[in-house]
Amino acid sequence: MEAMSTSDASYSNFRELDVRRRRPALLQIEFQRRWNLRTIYELMRVMDTANADTTVQVVVLSGELSVGPHDPLLLEQGKVKRHRQLPMTKETLAVSGDDAEDRYIHEKSANFVMRSLAKKMLAQRKLLVALVQGRCVGLGLSVCSLCDLVYATEAAVFLPALSHLDPCAQAGPFWTLPHIRWLLHLGEQADARTALHCGLVASVVSESQEFWDRMDQYSRLPPSALMATKRLLLRHWRQSMLTELRQEGTPMAAQGRRLARSKL
């Protein structure tokens, strides 16, 4: 692995992420054991920096991708919002006061942050790749779903989670739709071969070094060739999803979601 030069200082000031160049054109972003809001903010900052860095051609996400139901970004969608729309009942009284308001604010802020991250990942101009070597759970799967390519080792396990999904897909945030897609395809749990068969994983590698050898080869391609490859890899729903995400935060979109919930 090549040492970072002084010109790479913008990739060194992170607390929750380990960001380093493996080669001049190959950037690795490694997640630590515990995700929090700062993790997402730092990831968005790396996305912006890599987008503006003309020397970077390939960005790889690796490390801890198991973000389960107890992570601090848990989105308890639907329940609190619907309580705020419906007449007071015994059920709604049980979720009232400061606690309900705190949960409501948490939900709104978490959705805003994840919508912002999804837009940055979908608009990333570099080849964006995820490497899954262990458990890929919940929010980790959502992040992988937004990458151009996902690779996995034989030890990888994918567990879609319902914890951050709205029971009504029409009312839920748009960034969760890829996760719903893989939840339907993969079921409760899938190994690397099942994920490969379902199309989530592009290739299963026998060991991580095989993956890095491939990324090294990709990073040596001419930028125009790599970008042509990226355009061919784009899933058909990506552009429409990016458009919807850009519209989702508007007052008109918010009103539409309120109307959808009021009909449930």
Side-chain angles (χ1 to χ4, degrees):
M1 188 182 302
E2 298 188 4
M4 286 177 28
S5 66
T6 54
S7 62
D8 292 323
S10 55
Y11 294 116
S12 61
N13 299 319
F14 296 97
R15 190 173 72 192
E16 303 298 330
L17 300 174
D18 182 6
V19 184
R20 58 189 183 273
R21 290 184 191 264
R22 296 185 71 94
R23 291 193 58 80
L26 178 56
L27 185 71
Q28 180 183 6
I29 304 170
E30 187 170 6
F31 293 100
Q32 303 303 317
R33 181 69 183 173
R34 181 72 171 172
W35 287 38
N36 52 45
L37 279 174
R38 186 185 177 95
T39 306
I40 303 301
Y41 288 132
E42 289 189 351
L43 180 57
M44 287 193 285
R45 184 152 62 92
V46 181
M47 291 287 112
D48 285 339
T49 305
N51 238 352
D53 190 339
T54 56
T55 64
V56 172
Q57 300 299 332
V58 180
V59 178
V60 175
L61 306 183
S62 63
E64 182 58 55
L65 292 166
S66 179
V67 190
H70 301 297
D71 78 278
L73 287 172
L74 175 63
L75 305 181
E76 298 181 6
Q77 299 167 27
K79 293 181 179 179
V80 176
K81 285 187 176 178
R82 291 190 181 96
H83 290 161
R84 291 167 67 94
Q85 302 296 327
L86 297 174
M88 294 298 287
T89 65
K90 289 182 179 180
E91 183 183 16
T92 57
L93 285 171
V95 195
S96 61
D98 292 340
D99 181 60
E101 185 68 13
D102 288 345
R103 289 171 59 190
Y104 178 77
I105 292 172
H106 171 79
E107 175 196 345
K108 295 284 285 187
S109 62
N111 271 328
F112 173 79
V113 171
M114 285 306 303
R115 184 169 64 244
S116 300
L117 174 62
K119 287 190 290 186
K120 288 185 183 295
M121 294 185 68
L122 291 172
Q124 176 60 242
R125 293 191 293 270
K126 312 305 167 74
L127 185 65
L128 188 58
V129 185
L131 171 63
V132 182
Q133 297 176 271
R135 287 162 55 89
C136 183
V137 180
L139 191 59
L141 178 61
S142 294
V143 169
C144 285
S145 298
L146 298 169
C147 292
D148 300 317
L149 288 171
V150 180
Y151 284 78
T153 63
E154 294 285 358
V157 178
F158 298 85
L159 292 90
L162 287 168
S163 59
H164 66 283
L165 300 180
D166 194 291
C168 175
Q170 182 180 359
F174 214 77
W175 66 266
T176 60
L177 292 187
H179 187 104
I180 295 173
R181 171 184 172 84
W182 297 122
L183 180 66
L184 296 174
H185 278 279
L186 301 177
E188 293 183 0
Q189 179 173 318
D191 59 20
R193 295 293 172 182
T194 302
L196 175 64
H197 178 72
C198 292
L200 170 62
V201 169
S203 181
V204 177
V205 294
S206 57
E207 55 183 15
S208 60
Q209 189 55 49
E210 178 185 347
F211 166 81
W212 289 115
D213 289 343
R214 292 191 192 183
M215 294 304 105
D216 182 31
Q217 294 173 11
Y218 289 167
S219 69
R220 296 173 186 269
L221 290 172
S224 58
L226 199 57
M227 290 306 96
T229 302
K230 179 181 173 78
R231 287 193 293 271
L232 292 173
L233 290 170
L234 295 181
R235 296 188 175 102
H236 68 278
W237 46 261
R238 288 174 65 103
Q239 187 54 50
S240 60
M241 180 180 178
L242 182 56
T243 301
E244 291 289 342
L245 284 168
R246 286 169 173 164
Q247 296 175 350
E248 195 174 59
T250 65
M252 184 176 294
Q255 177 63 20
R257 290 194 295 276
R258 284 194 292 270
L259 289 174
R261 290 188 179 89
S262 68
K263 296 177 181 178
L264 297 179

